DNA sequence: TTGTACGCGTTATCAG
DNA sequence: CTGATAACGCGTACAA
């Protein structure tokens, strides 16, 4: 029974448009249209195609489609270490919003170094994304040139600058620093401790704080630098280090809520009441900040909105929808609670 | 000066292999080889190519490359809501390890529903990934069939079953439940409260606990179900609800450390000392568990290892490296601390 | 070690 | 509304 019909190679490739077309008695092009733009195809034809798709188990090949159409429906996203609680929510909302528009996320975790960002982006570029999301506004010039050369829509997030590569959704870290500084000065604090990671954005916030403190004049401060990623343990050891210096502090300013929570616990072990003996201030307004005991005074950023706005800007620009304002300052809110 | 040479369309497309070849005075194929397998090309030729690449600003088009070679160097990863602290680390290590091997991550957040997982995976499949990472082992059958049909390497993670689709890196939620139950029984506890999310894996752990409690006989328990995602606030309200029922409890078992931390804070507000008046147990061993006050007794999972192992299994299988054991139980460790 | 012919699976374009 | 043809940019397979 060695039938001639089975002579063709039986290495069952995945079914293609042509297979579907054959099954439906149509041309591949019609099948393509029935799948992508059903409204310009006769309903009866569409039905035939759908049936054939089901029968063959056809799954479109977007590699081929993207190559031919020059649109990949792919968005490259570069974040510095995703295991930072802040970025995760942004990526999540970015993913959600983009999915609705039919885009997929090509995710890249760049670490906080610039070299790797370059490598990563050029690798990403080779996937021919339709748009790019970059965290931060400090990229090395070579990279920046490469991206600009592609002419691709870009959204930079989590930072503010009047001169983004293209579009931007962020907020001013310096202003947040200012707000923190003013808030604590108003509360009468003059001796400050910083528990701080040394990434660029955190340092900008610190500069914002110091500008205000310097203007005041009679302030003093001391640093406890901690490595990334910021953990509660680092918050504890950070405050421990500050206290061991022999200095006394009115207020501890932390570059994240996680550090702040650690500092608050550590204060307990030194019989320091928060905020009566020592105030502790965080940043980020993470889930736990509001219901910690004491509730953590911090700065709220709408990190979901960053993702959502970035997605909308990007998708709109890709699809030719006129974008009114390419620079979005989503602002921030100082959340006065109990810890400071 | 309207030169004939500029007659060709000036819509500056991105440079292609052919442009580089022309610039280098070589054939496109040689350029391709110089880029992908430099070791089989004469060094001088490689150098010429590299120069031409720099001059032209060439960025490879992986869409075309993948289409031709039938290898996309793309790994599809499906996770249920990434803003769960546990998965983030796994995704991170997956990304890191895969990047080393030259693969990119196509990330999809599926939520906890099955319907969306199907949509998502078929969409992902259309990108022709070289491998798939699925969270969990419960997928609807249609989806499962589609994936099996592709013949693609698959790694299921965060669960254990003797019959995975293909490969698996996980641990037994039931055994963890057993361990928690036995541990607390040994401590003399008999009246339990559960603060629990109702996702499948958490429920498996609960079943593990209950199996042990039932075997003991003289136990009683009560539930406080909370929605996803688990937050500290839900831990607080969960314990609040349990206490309001009028029952008393020896031990509170939480489906995550985040809930446990909330429960511990809430206990404070009810003048309940942890663990003297009430024990609290978590799950996950997140960063803060060890340095919370009291330190949280919990179950440690090496979530980085899950990602790393999954990446290795996948990359090995894709590249034809013989895979010894496709089912990896990474186990768990009950971390006895202060809270229970 | 390098080059040539062809195919990968789809969409753009233009013709019917 | 549907079909034929020619790209899309690269890698495979083989020839030189």
């Amino acid at each position: 029974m060695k039938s001639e019909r089975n002579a063709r190679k039986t290495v069952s490739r995945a079914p293609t448009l042509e297979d579907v077309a054959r099954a439906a008695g149509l041309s591949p092009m019609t099948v393509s249209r029935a799948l992508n733009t059903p409204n310009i195809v006769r309903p009866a034809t569409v039905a035939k195609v759908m049936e054939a798709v089901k029968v063959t188990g056809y799954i479109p090949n977007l590699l081929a489609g993207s190559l031919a159409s020059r649109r990949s429906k792919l968005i490259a996203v570069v974040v510095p270490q995703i295991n930072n609680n802040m970025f995760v929510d942004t990526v999540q909302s970015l993913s959600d919003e983009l999915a609705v528009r039919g885009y997929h996320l090509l995710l890249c975790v760049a670490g906080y170094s610039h070299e790797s960002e370059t490598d990563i982006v050029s690798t990403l570029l080779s996937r021919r994304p339709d748009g790019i999301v970059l965290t931060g506004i400090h990229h090395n010039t070579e990279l920046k040139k490469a991206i600009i050369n592609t002419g691709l829509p870009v959204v930079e997030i989590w930072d503010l600058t009047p001169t983004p590569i293209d579009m931007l959704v962020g907020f001013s870290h310096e202003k947040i620093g200012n707000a923190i500084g003013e808030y604590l000065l108003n509360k009468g604090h003059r001796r400050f401790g910083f528990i701080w990671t040394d990434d660029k954005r955190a340092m900008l916030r610190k500069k914002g704080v110091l500008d205000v403190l310097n203007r005041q004049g009679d302030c003093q401060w001391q640093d406890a630098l901690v490595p990334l990623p910021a953990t509660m343990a680092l918050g504890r050891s950070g405050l421990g280090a500050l206290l061991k210096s022999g200095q006394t502090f009115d207020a501890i300013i932390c570059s994240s809520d996680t550090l702040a929570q650690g500092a608050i616990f550590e204060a307990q072990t030194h019989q320091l009441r928060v905020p009566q003996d020592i105030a502790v201030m965080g940043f980020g307004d993470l889930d736990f900040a509001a219901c910690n005991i004491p509730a953590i005074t911090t700065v709220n950023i709408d990190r979901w909105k960053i993702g959502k706005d970035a997605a909308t800007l990007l998708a709109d620009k890709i699809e030719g929808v006129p974008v009114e304002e390419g620079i979005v300052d989503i602002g921030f809110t100082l959340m006065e609670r109990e810890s400071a």
Side-chain angles (χ1 to χ4, degrees), chain A residues 5 12 57 88 90 97 100-101 106 130 157 159 162 164 179 181 188 197 202 225 236 257 302 304-305 319:
Chain A
R5 299 198 313 280
S12 63
V88 170
T90 299
E97 190 67 19
V100 172
R101 298 274 219 130
L106 201 55
D130 291 339
I157 59 175
D159 249 319
T197 54
L225 240 64
R236 287 192 64 168
D257 285 348
D302 191 340
W304 294 272
K305 187 164 160 43
E319 293 162 12

Side-chain angles (χ1 to χ4, degrees), chain A residues 105-257:
Chain A
L105 231 62
L106 201 55
L107 184 68
C108 257
V109 184
Y112 270 90
S113 71
H114 273 199
E115 298 69 38
S116 57
E117 200 190 40
T118 312
D119 288 352
I120 282 171
V121 171
S122 68
T123 324
L124 287 183
L125 252 26
S126 66
R127 304 261 176 209
R128 296 296 189 264
D130 291 339
I132 304 177
V133 177
L134 288 177
T135 306
I137 54 171
H138 302 98
H139 324 285
N140 74 41
T141 47
E142 195 183 352
L143 160 68
K144 208 160 163 176
K145 234 189 307 179
I147 292 183
I148 293 175
N149 260 335
T150 65
L152 250 35
V154 178
V155 182
E156 290 164 285
I157 59 175
W158 277 87
D159 249 319
L160 217 53
T161 169
T163 56
I165 296 180
D166 181 10
M167 299 176 290
L168 177 149
V169 182
F171 53 91
S172 165
H173 291 266
E174 284 201 57
K175 277 190 190 154
I176 287 177
N178 294 340
I180 292 174
E182 283 158 14
Y183 175 82
L184 293 174
L185 284 179
N186 280 340
K187 292 274 177 181
H189 303 302
R190 291 299 180 270
R191 295 164 304 167
F192 300 92
F194 287 89
I195 304 179
W196 224 252
T197 54
D198 75 340
D199 67 274
K200 221 149 205 160
R201 276 172 289 283
M203 283 305 174
L204 266 177
R205 293 196 297 277
K206 187 175 168 191
K207 177 181 181 307
V209 177
L210 292 183
D211 284 351
V212 171
L213 299 194
N214 284 328
R215 217 173 300 139
Q216 170 69 27
D218 60 338
C219 295
Q220 57 186 63
W221 65 83
Q222 196 167 333
D223 288 328
L225 240 64
V226 300
L228 286 164
T231 63
M232 204 174 106
L234 289 169
R236 287 192 64 168
S237 61
L239 181 57
L242 285 175
L243 293 176
K244 212 179 299 174
S245 75
Q247 296 242 0
T248 53
F249 300 93
D250 302 328
I252 302 298
I253 314 177
C254 303
S255 62
S256 81
D257 285 348

Side-chain angles (χ1 to χ4, degrees), chain A residues 59-71:
Chain A
I59 295 175
N61 185 328
L62 280 185
L63 293 177
S66 301
L67 179 59
S69 70
R70 298 158 159 286
R71 279 173 292 105

Side-chain angles (χ1 to χ4, degrees), chain A residues 23-99:
Chain A
L26 294 161
S27 78
M29 198 51 232
T30 301
V31 175
S32 173
R33 277 192 280 252
L35 260 26
N36 299 319
T37 51
N39 48 311
I40 66 164
V41 176
R42 201 199 319 160
T45 310
V46 174
K48 258 194 291 187
V49 169
M50 289 315 179
E51 176 60 22
V53 165
K54 192 170 290 176
V55 169
T56 55
Y58 172 69
I59 295 175
N61 185 328
L62 280 185
L63 293 177
S66 301
L67 179 59
S69 70
R70 298 158 159 286
R71 279 173 292 105
S72 65
K73 285 279 180 177
L74 223 41
I75 304 293
V77 180
V78 184
V79 283
Q81 54 180 25
I82 190 177
N83 64 0
N84 169 315
N85 289 303
M86 305 290 295
F87 295 119
V88 170
D89 295 317
T90 299
V91 172
Q92 166 100 42
S93 67
L94 201 53
S95 166
D96 288 352
E97 190 67 19
L98 248 19

